[in-house]
Amino acid sequence: MYEIITKHNNWGNAGWVEEDQFFEDLNRFIDANPDMNLRDYGSVLDEYSLEWSAKSIECANYEKMDGRGVMALLVAAYRGDHMCNGYFAELLEKGLIQKWIARLEELDSMKGEIDK
């Protein structure tokens, strides 16, 4: 389900090029999944008892979240970069974006096991 996002699990040296492609793919995912309500990511974060703040997002227990929650974290990171240029790159440096994408891969693989 999250393949358009999880294909970005290996960030190379051309980070800004990959960020642009990631952002395009993230928007495609949002458009293709309106039922997830990710355009209102603040409300989605609220459903997971998270505030729309850097500390709350960075400390989120993503390992316990479902895909919708993890996607809301990624959207918040993307939107946060518009307000604070470099925020997304900072989360990449901390390894959080990679961990969130890995969680989506894990959820996809668990779904595959259930479908068998």
Side-chain angles (χ1 to χ4, degrees), residues 9-74:
N9 63 353
N10 294 319
W11 291 86
N13 294 330
W16 67 270
V17 173
E18 292 184 42
E19 279 184 31
D20 288 346
Q21 183 60 55
F22 178 81
F23 295 158
E24 285 178 28
D25 289 340
L26 187 61
N27 280 317
R28 281 188 194 103
F29 184 91
I30 292 166
D31 290 342
N33 297 280
D35 55 312
M36 290 184 132
N37 196 31
L38 294 170
R39 292 214 180 279
D40 190 10
Y41 61 93
S43 293
V44 176
L45 291 173
D46 191 48
E47 290 175 31
Y48 293 85
S49 300
L50 296 171
E51 296 175 4
W52 174 208
S53 71
K55 183 175 181 174
S56 182
I57 291 167
E58 292 173 32
C59 294
N61 190 1
Y62 65 89
E63 293 171 327
K64 302 275 186 207
M65 290 179 134
D66 60 10
R68 184 171 177 253
V70 176
M71 287 302 302
L73 292 173
L74 288 167

Side-chain angles (χ1 to χ4, degrees), residues 52 57 72-81 87-88 91 97 100:
W52 174 208
I57 291 167
L73 292 173
L74 288 167
V75 174
Y78 166 55
R79 301 288 190 229
D81 195 68
Y87 181 62
F88 191 86
L91 294 177
I97 300 296
W100 297 342

